[in-house]
Amino acid sequence: MKTKYGTILVVDDNPAILAALRICLANVFERILTLSAPDAVLVTLQQEHVDVVLLDMNFSLGVNSGQDGIIWLSAIHRRHPDIPVVLITAYADVKLAVKGLKNGAADFITKPWDNDELIRVLKDAIDKGKEVVPLHEIERQHVNKVVDKCHGNMSKAAELLGITRQTLYRKYQP
């Protein structure tokens, strides 16, 4: 039996799309939360544990610029930077995809979507956030942070870390 992923929040103003995604993702996610408007996204993310957001790019009637999606992506990313957001739109546009990725989107899917590709993209977005950082990298980051906090005073940094200056010099990588 395959283990299901946790919770996905799908935000799209088209009820048929929401229904299709519920069916498509039912065997992949334990919980599928849906919103037909982005207004409640931030409140929902505050109240629920969500592993990934699938966010439509267009919510204003007759407007297909994707600007709605970019605005909501930025708002989500500011308050919940650890939750990956995958953008979805019927109006595929390379510039829009690049803009979304530059604003923190994990990936970009076009409608109509390929079910297997959609599932792969969503799983990849979640799994990327769960990558294990090697211990030496965490140690290096911590040492660098302490040296920065001590404004480059290596003696003080070594003292705070409880190591000799020689050990600090070996571990410090600006």
Side-chain angles (χ1 to χ4, degrees), residues 136-154:
H136 67 85
E137 177 60 23
I138 293 170
E139 181 183 48
R140 184 191 68 74
Q141 289 172 2
H142 182 67
V143 165
N144 288 357
K145 204 179 290 182
V146 170
V147 170
D148 287 346
K149 185 177 179 179
C150 294
H151 306 289
N153 183 329
M154 299 304 250

Side-chain angles (χ1 to χ4, degrees), residues 4-6 8 19-32 119:
K4 286 187 176 183
Y5 282 73
I8 182 169
L21 286 168
R22 267 193 221 97
I23 292 165
C24 171
L25 301 174
N27 292 326
V28 179
F29 289 92
E30 288 179 19
R31 291 179 65 217
I32 300 169
I119 290 166

Side-chain angles (χ1 to χ4, degrees), residues 117-134:
E117 176 70 5
L118 173 66
I119 290 166
R120 184 195 62 72
V121 165
L122 291 169
K123 285 180 173 183
D124 284 352
I126 294 169
D127 292 343
K128 187 176 181 188
K130 294 180 179 176
E131 288 178 359
V132 177
V133 179

Side-chain angles (χ1 to χ4, degrees), residues 65-133:
S65 68
Q67 199 55 41
D68 292 339
I70 298 296
I71 290 168
W72 285 105
L73 166 66
S74 296
I76 293 167
H77 199 64
R78 254 192 324 276
R79 291 191 179 88
H80 305 278
D82 295 339
I83 300 176
V85 178
V86 174
L87 301 173
I88 186 166
T89 185
Y91 305 95
D93 178 333
V94 174
K95 281 187 199 172
L96 185 58
V98 170
K99 189 173 183 181
L101 295 171
K102 282 184 177 179
N103 279 279
D107 213 328
F108 190 89
I109 292 285
T110 57
K111 299 175 191 172
W113 63 87
D114 172 87
N115 288 347
D116 293 335
E117 176 70 5
L118 173 66
I119 290 166
R120 184 195 62 72
V121 165
L122 291 169
K123 285 180 173 183
D124 284 352
I126 294 169
D127 292 343
K128 187 176 181 188
K130 294 180 179 176
E131 288 178 359
V132 177
V133 179

